[in-house]
Amino acid sequence: MLAEITVGLLRSRGFVVKHRAELGGSDVLFSALGHGDLDVYPEYTGTLRAELLSELGLESDSELEEALAVRGIGMTRPLGFNNTYAIGIKESQAERLGLRRITDLARHPKLRLRFSHEFMARADGWPALKAAYGLPQEDVRGMEHALVYAAMEAGQLDVTELYSTDAEIQSHDLRVLEDDLGFFPRYEAIVLYRMELARLPGLVTALKRLEGALDEEAMVALNVRARIDREAPQKIARTWLETKMGIQGQPQVQTSELPKWILEHLFLVTLSLGLAILFSVPLGILAARYAPIRAPLLGLIGILQTIPSLALLVFMIPLLGLGAKPALAALFLYSLLPIVRNTCLGLIVIPRTLRESAEVLALRPRTRLLRVDLPMASPSILAGIKIAAVWNVGTATLGALIGAGGLGQPIWTGLRLGDTSLILQGAVPAALLALLAQGFFDLLERWIVPEGLRLDRKEP
Amino acid sequence: MLELRQVTKRYDGIFVLDGIDLGFAESQCTVLLGPSGCGKTTLLRLLVGLTWPDEGEVLVRGQSLSPDGLREHRLGLGLVLQEGGLFPHLSARDNLALLPRDLGWPRERIQARIEELAALVSLQGDAMDRHPGRLSGGQVQRVALMRALILDPPLLLFDEPLAALDPMIRFELQEDLARIFAELGKTVVLVTHDLAEAGFFADQIVLMKQGRIVQKGPLTDLLEHPADAFVTAFVRAQRSAILGLEGEGRS
């Protein structure tokens, strides 16, 4: 919402703005801002103090401003609302158990607590909260924040963390427990921008118009319209800018972005897979030919595979920035293992009599590789490529989180807005694409794999 | 043309070949005979450079065989394995054309050579355009023989070429092989465990046991003058099969 408002405001001042939605997590955004891959994004003072710059122990806003300035980053004054963490529970259950304050939770050790993965891991999240209030609960797990409210309605969990401007507090009839020890810091919304942009006349002035313009009540109202009334965030932002700021936005023609997402997705998958094939097949041949390097090579590539996809994507940002490049690199690395392995395997399972037949025949090495070894290994190599392709179609949906676009875009937006139809707009084409990839390689197999190797399959 | 001199080969310290001295006479058929594990296949592998002696040497026309001269040596020989060793992904014709194409023969020459060999090994019909998986066992061995002969090498080697075949097909192919050997006058080395087969083909039989040569000579020598009790026992075990052959071996 803040992004849509900021974008609308800047565009009304004649700036050309590229809006990258769905970039994942404060650490991704802050590091991208520091590297100049982003120019502007909204952040919370609490996150900066307690997480991103926690090692500095910043107290006042002026200290924070100074620390940011050293990094070439400017900040606005607070926009007006404090979106701090809060602890919530269903009103009816709170009433039954007599829960008013967070302190009261200590008397109910059997409660099931579910927090976002970020809250579970943050220095100022669950570990600190547990210590501060001496909370005894053991059934505590992480889950996607966007799914929490539905799961709560279904009785799957009792207590979760909220943001104090969440629309759901109202719509799901939740009680916010009083932070009686004053544990949570203030999370004042501000806008961060790269200092270099101050040179653009009017830009910082435009951003400063947001200072103090959005109080908590206003923010909750906007969130209710988005999450509960299912209005498009762009439209909400536009009417807010019109009524509160007197800014006439250009109503954007809503065209379906599906073709764009599909093209972006295909671009990510085909290019990364193509590069992976170019590298993997020769690597697989080397691994098959030189036994001493086989285990280390396959081991190394296997380790790449065990890095969680999102983590690998985040590692790529400092090296390659935001956008398609880091996503391509990560997908490329993931595709190596199945193709290298299957190429190596396909070559080493060629029966000994045939290998020796080829050797005694005294073919030149190149002829032997191209006319004998690779054709005989082709079913295995192709199977490896097929696995990599199907994995890639799935993993590429994470690319949206680092600005690579693709079918992950509607999936993540849908998850954030609780909009199932939007999720399906990404998930269904992604599933179809995976099936299509499978079918494509099945066809390719008929064309590439020599007829003589398919005989046993035709005859029972 | 081919000679082993004091060849010793060990696997894990156990002698597979133990001081073998053996010459292969030109245009003659030498059969390496013996029970499994006697070292006959290892001996054949030494002759084609798939393994190397621990001691002693393999002489080709008086020259010691080395990795440097291996390609030239291999281009001068043809090898036929028990199951043919044809590549399953290529048609019979492509299997045959693989090597001449690699050597840059023009298409017409390859075609003519294949026609010529097909007539020689009596292979008819559309067998040439089928993949090995669609050929009978006998046809596979005939194509494998054609592949071995494609460059017209002076030396042919066979590792149990008939062992995997039905009796009828086996009989036919055996007759054809003998005819072809006689017709072409190649130097032939054939490995088998079958006394009858050995007697049928051999100018000279080399009977082996545990890495050593026990007796060498024509079949009649083995039958009439066995060198020791092992030869007697080996012959007795397979004697019934060769009763009909006795006296008409190609000695």
Side-chain angles (χ1 to χ4, degrees):
Chain A
M1 190 63 64
L2 284 181
E4 293 293 354
I5 287 173
T6 312
V7 167
L9 182 64
L10 292 178
R11 282 191 180 143
S12 77
R13 286 288 178 277
F15 293 103
V16 178
V17 183
K18 184 169 178 204
H19 180 192
R20 306 190 108 145
E22 302 315 326
L23 290 178
S26 280
D27 43 355
V28 171
L29 293 163
F30 192 66
S31 123
L33 189 71
H35 284 95
D37 293 316
L38 279 182
D39 293 320
V40 177
Y41 88 91
E43 185 52 280
Y44 294 111
T45 53
T47 307
L48 286 166
R49 282 211 181 84
E51 188 68 14
L52 300 172
L53 301 172
S54 60
E55 72 280 5
L56 303 179
L58 303 168
E59 295 291 335
S60 68
D61 279 5
S62 58
E63 278 176 7
L64 179 59
E65 205 165 341
E66 261 171 53
L68 288 170
V70 171
R71 288 163 174 72
I73 296 171
M75 68 179 260
T76 63
R77 313 258 126 240
L79 308 189
F81 68 92
N82 172 25
N83 189 22
T84 187
Y85 279 115
I87 298 300
I89 184 166
K90 290 290 287 180
E91 177 67 36
S92 52
Q93 196 178 12
E95 195 58 42
R96 200 169 61 247
L97 300 175
L99 294 173
R100 259 187 337 99
R101 303 165 305 167
I102 298 180
T103 308
D104 299 336
L105 285 176
R107 288 185 281 113
H108 299 279
K110 291 281 178 222
L111 288 174
R112 293 162 300 169
L113 277 47
R114 295 292 178 271
F115 300 118
S116 69
H117 296 288
E118 193 179 349
F119 188 77
M120 288 292 284
R122 290 172 71 123
D124 59 340
W126 166 245
L129 181 73
K130 179 185 164 80
Y133 280 95
L135 297 179
Q137 283 80 9
E138 280 177 6
D139 187 1
V140 182
R141 273 182 268 160
M143 73 182 284
E144 169 60 41
H145 184 71
L147 305 175
V148 157
Y149 300 107
M152 216 167 193
E153 286 294 329
Q156 300 291 308
L157 61 107
D158 303 310
V159 177
T160 188
E161 103 272 19
L162 313 164
Y163 305 114
S164 53
T165 59
D166 273 359
E168 285 80 358
I169 298 174
Q170 212 179 317
S171 64
H172 284 76
D173 202 13
L174 303 180
R175 178 180 291 186
V176 173
L177 299 179
E178 186 194 328
D179 182 12
D180 46 327
L181 298 182
F183 170 78
F184 290 117
R186 290 185 67 75
Y187 279 75
E188 301 281 0
I190 52 168
V191 176
L192 298 181
Y193 54 88
R194 298 202 309 124
M195 287 281 208
E196 287 175 28
L197 298 182
R199 286 182 324 202
L200 299 176
L203 186 121
V204 176
T205 323
L207 291 178
K208 283 189 175 299
R209 287 196 64 185
L210 293 174
E211 291 174 356
L214 269 164
D215 61 14
E216 265 151 67
E217 203 182 330
M219 196 62 219
V220 172
L222 295 182
N223 283 343
V224 166
R225 284 172 66 185
R227 297 238 359 163
I228 314 301
D229 305 339
R230 299 240 179 273
E231 277 184 66
Q234 296 90 324
K235 198 177 145 217
I236 303 170
R238 202 170 64 236
T239 49
W240 186 85
L241 285 169
E242 263 174 40
T243 51
K244 303 288 177 194
M245 304 244 144
I247 290 170
Q248 213 59 38
Q250 298 297 316
Q252 287 191 334
V253 186
Q254 277 295 317
T255 51
S256 169
E257 292 195 274
L258 191 59
K260 187 183 119 212
W261 292 328
I262 291 177
L263 282 180
E264 285 169 346
H265 210 84
L266 279 174
F267 170 75
L268 290 177
V269 171
T270 49
L271 189 57
S272 63
L273 188 68
L275 287 173
I277 294 171
L278 282 182
F279 278 79
S280 303
V281 172
L283 280 177
I285 294 170
L286 282 179
R289 193 163 293 176
Y290 305 106
I293 67 161
R294 190 178 305 151
L297 182 70
L298 291 180
L300 186 77
I301 298 173
I303 289 172
L304 285 176
Q305 203 78 34
T306 64
I307 303 174
S309 338
L310 196 51
L312 189 60
L313 288 173
V314 173
F315 289 156
M316 293 291 163
I317 293 177
L319 302 172
L320 297 169
L322 288 175
K325 265 193 258 168
L328 285 170
L331 291 174
F332 165 78
L333 290 177
Y334 274 128
S335 306
L336 290 177
L337 183 67
I339 308 178
V340 173
R341 253 180 88 103
N342 274 34
T343 303
C344 175
L345 198 71
L347 288 171
I348 60 184
V349 299
I350 294 175
R352 182 172 129 160
T353 52
L354 293 182
R355 267 185 283 139
E356 293 185 345
S357 248
E359 200 183 328
V360 174
L361 210 50
L363 296 171
R364 285 174 304 161
R366 197 186 126 86
T367 308
R368 178 169 168 197
L369 183 69
L370 295 181
R371 302 272 297 148
V372 178
D373 293 346
L374 285 181
M376 294 205 15
S378 61
S380 173
I381 298 174
L382 217 59
I385 294 175
K386 202 190 308 188
I387 294 171
V390 173
W391 278 359
N392 257 1
V393 170
T395 312
T397 55
L398 295 174
L401 297 177
I402 54 168
L407 291 164
Q409 197 82 31
I411 295 179
W412 297 107
T413 308
L415 269 173
R416 189 169 48 78
L417 297 174
D419 183 342
T420 311
S421 82
L422 198 54
I423 295 174
L424 291 178
Q425 276 188 52
V428 171
L432 288 177
L433 222 55
L435 283 176
L436 218 68
Q438 177 96 23
F440 173 75
F441 282 106
D442 285 343
L443 277 179
L444 204 62
E445 197 170 354
R446 285 169 179 237
W447 183 57
I448 283 185
V449 173
E451 185 194 343
L453 296 180
R454 288 182 273 121
L455 292 180
D456 351 343
R457 285 188 231 170
K458 281 185 211 157
E459 275 173 348
Chain B
M1 68 172 300
L2 203 56
E3 193 182 344
L4 300 179
R5 216 176 265 171
Q6 279 299 306
V7 166
T8 296
K9 181 77 188 170
R10 285 176 292 261
Y11 286 121
D12 301 327
I14 297 165
F15 283 93
V16 184
L17 292 175
D18 188 2
I20 300 279
D21 279 304
L22 182 61
F24 298 86
E26 197 136 345
S27 304
Q28 297 271 296
C29 178
T30 306
V31 173
L32 305 174
L33 177 67
S36 49
C38 71
K40 56 190 192 296
T41 297
T42 303
L43 208 159
L44 186 86
R45 292 166 61 80
L46 282 168
L47 295 178
V48 297
L50 283 174
T51 187
W52 299 90
D54 294 327
E55 285 155 40
E57 53 188 349
V58 178
L59 296 174
V60 182
R61 285 183 209 86
Q63 296 273 314
S64 178
L65 185 62
S66 71
D68 289 339
L70 193 54
R71 179 173 153 86
E72 197 193 345
H73 172 55
R74 281 173 172 169
L75 289 174
L77 63 85
L79 175 66
V80 177
L81 300 174
Q82 180 171 338
E83 312 271 358
L86 297 180
F87 303 120
H89 63 291
L90 298 173
S91 69
R93 187 182 304 282
D94 288 337
N95 262 286
L96 295 172
L98 202 54
L99 181 58
R101 225 177 258 159
D102 191 36
L103 295 173
W105 286 23
R107 183 191 297 265
E108 302 73 34
R109 182 172 170 206
I110 298 174
Q111 186 56 34
R113 180 64 180 156
I114 291 176
E115 303 284 325
E116 191 182 1
L117 289 172
L120 179 73
V121 306
S122 338
L123 199 63
Q124 305 107 353
D126 59 352
M128 274 306 125
D129 296 309
R130 291 201 223 145
H131 288 88
R134 291 247 194 271
L135 295 173
S136 72
Q139 285 174 319
V140 166
Q141 291 308 71
R142 283 169 202 270
V143 175
L145 176 62
M146 288 170 73
R147 189 174 68 175
L149 286 168
I150 195 91
L151 301 186
D152 199 16
L155 176 62
L156 290 178
L157 303 105
F158 295 82
D159 190 4
E160 303 270 12
L162 307 175
L165 302 178
D166 296 341
M168 288 274 287
I169 295 171
R170 186 184 168 118
F171 176 76
E172 272 176 36
L173 187 59
Q174 182 169 298
E175 295 282 326
D176 281 349
L177 277 176
R179 172 180 58 78
I180 291 164
F181 294 168
E183 208 169 302
L184 300 180
K186 304 282 182 195
T187 306
V188 176
V189 180
L190 189 144
V191 166
T192 181
H193 63 275
D194 185 313
L195 181 62
E197 198 175 303
F200 184 84
F201 287 116
D203 295 309
Q204 174 177 244
I205 292 177
V206 178
L207 181 59
M208 297 177 65
K209 178 197 167 194
Q210 291 172 353
R212 291 167 183 272
I213 295 172
V214 186
Q215 186 169 5
K216 61 186 162 190
L219 176 68
T220 46
D221 268 17
L222 266 70
L223 299 179
E224 288 160 21
H225 310 290
D228 63 10
F230 168 76
V231 182
T232 312
F234 187 86
V235 168
R236 191 189 304 128
Q238 300 195 40
R239 185 161 191 122
S240 60
I242 56 161
L243 278 178
L245 285 171
E246 219 169 320
E248 60 178 86
R250 290 202 308 154
S251 55

